[in-house]
Amino acid sequence: MARLASNPLTLPRFRPYFQFSDFAHLFKSPFLSQNRIRKFEAIACQTNPSPTETEPSNKEKVIVEPDLVKDSTSQATTSSVGGGFSEFPNKNINRRIALGSTLAALGLFLSSRLDFGVSLKDLSAAAVPYEEALSNGKPTVVEFYADWCEVCRELAPDVYKVEQQYRDRVNFVMLNVDNTKWEQELDEFGVEGIPHFAFLDKDGDEQGNVVGRLPRKYFLENVDALARDEASVPHARVVGQYSSAESRKVHQVLDPRSHV
């Protein structure tokens, strides 16, 4: 195990078997090196001793180089373009959208004009003059109205629909209560509220009247009875919500022949 060596003092001593170089080589073994590295890594990972905090420490932050940011940005742009997203919209699609919007607006305009956009002025322009209605041998519907009458404006679309259905068999007359020309007719038909619808047979005799805001069927059924030349109308005297005829605003008649 050890070799005996002599010295000048003739005292025996032991020479170590292992040399210093062997001892240093021992510390360079893979086993010890691995242990030391593991110990260093364990110390480096304990950057935050508090277990409740989850934010990374300064040692764990990743530094991204500008070149890497540019590469990632270019890759994201390339992937989005390659995924089917074009940079500029297709002109054909824009044209189709514009054409569809135009057609939709046109359809809405026409539908409003044919239904909800009908005004009292439109009805008055298409109305038959009162004198003509009494002499052409057809039954007649006389409406007493005013431009300021809210109920009259609301019922205008319904009146227009019925008129378009029966205009070739029934006369539709519009008399404006603000016109002093119709004072005698106001008294004759007993108009107290508007709109006032008077239903006359082909001889000019009144069969009934409907006053104010009522369901459309009352007006439609009475007109249908006149068109079929029945002896009476189903709704001879019905009154709904109306505007008082005494609130009328009398104005100067510009054209005495006017029926409005």
Side-chain angles (χ1 to χ4, degrees):
M1 295 297 293
R3 289 180 294 183
L4 184 62
S6 61
N7 55 21
L9 298 178
T10 65
L11 294 176
R13 65 177 182 175
F14 293 94
R15 179 180 299 177
Y17 180 77
F18 296 100
Q19 300 296 328
F20 180 77
S21 59
D22 297 336
F23 184 76
H25 178 70
L26 179 62
F27 281 92
K28 294 181 179 180
S29 63
F31 178 76
L32 294 178
S33 299
Q34 185 177 3
N35 291 339
R36 292 182 65 187
I37 293 173
R38 290 178 179 176
K39 183 178 181 181
F40 176 77
E41 291 178 353
I43 294 175
C45 291
Q46 297 178 355
T47 57
N48 191 355
S50 177
T52 61
E53 297 180 359
T54 58
E55 297 182 358
S57 62
N58 295 332
K59 292 183 181 181
E60 294 179 347
K61 291 182 179 179
V62 179
I63 300 176
V64 181
E65 296 181 0
D67 295 337
L68 296 178
V69 175
K70 293 180 179 179
D71 295 340
S72 61
T73 305
S74 62
Q75 290 178 359
T77 304
T78 304
S79 62
S80 63
V81 173
F85 297 95
S86 58
E87 185 176 357
F88 299 99
N90 194 322
K91 293 183 178 180
N92 293 331
I93 296 178
N94 288 342
R95 292 175 182 174
R96 293 176 182 176
I97 294 174
L99 180 60
S101 302
T102 303
L103 294 177
L106 180 60
L108 180 62
F109 172 77
L110 292 177
S111 63
S112 63
R113 289 298 299 171
L114 295 176
D115 187 5
F116 301 103
V118 178
S119 65
L120 292 173
K121 185 178 293 186
D122 297 330
L123 294 178
S124 300
V128 178
Y130 182 61
E131 295 81 2
E132 179 183 342
L134 295 179
S135 61
N136 62 9
K138 295 181 182 179
T140 303
V141 177
V142 181
E143 177 183 357
F144 294 89
Y145 77 101
D147 294 332
W148 47 264
C149 174
E150 181 180 352
V151 181
C152 301
R153 292 196 299 265
E154 291 179 3
L155 297 180
D158 290 338
V159 174
Y160 177 80
K161 291 178 181 178
V162 177
E163 179 180 340
Q164 294 301 309
Q165 185 176 355
Y166 293 95
R167 64 184 307 172
D168 56 340
R169 292 178 288 172
V170 178
N171 298 315
F172 289 88
V173 178
M174 300 281 292
L175 301 182
N176 193 332
V177 297
D178 288 339
N179 193 332
T180 56
K181 179 182 178 180
W182 309 117
E183 291 289 343
Q184 181 179 350
E185 283 72 21
L186 290 174
D187 295 336
E188 180 181 348
F189 290 98
V191 178
E192 297 180 355
I194 54 176
H196 181 111
F197 299 93
F199 301 93
L200 313 180
D201 59 18
K202 61 183 180 179
D203 297 326
D205 298 327
E206 184 179 10
Q207 300 298 319
N209 57 72
V210 172
V211 181
R213 182 190 292 112
L214 291 168
R216 179 186 174 187
K217 71 173 186 176
Y218 289 91
F219 182 72
L220 176 60
E221 291 176 357
N222 280 4
V223 174
D224 183 70
L226 291 179
R228 290 187 285 106
D229 197 18
E230 293 186 359
S232 62
V233 293
H235 310 286
R237 180 65 179 175
V238 184
V239 179
Q241 182 181 0
Y242 60 88
S243 299
S244 176
E246 298 194 2
S247 301
R248 60 196 180 113
K249 305 172 184 178
V250 178
H251 64 273
Q252 183 68 32
V253 179
L254 300 178
D255 184 3
R257 296 173 299 176
S258 175
H259 60 277
V260 296

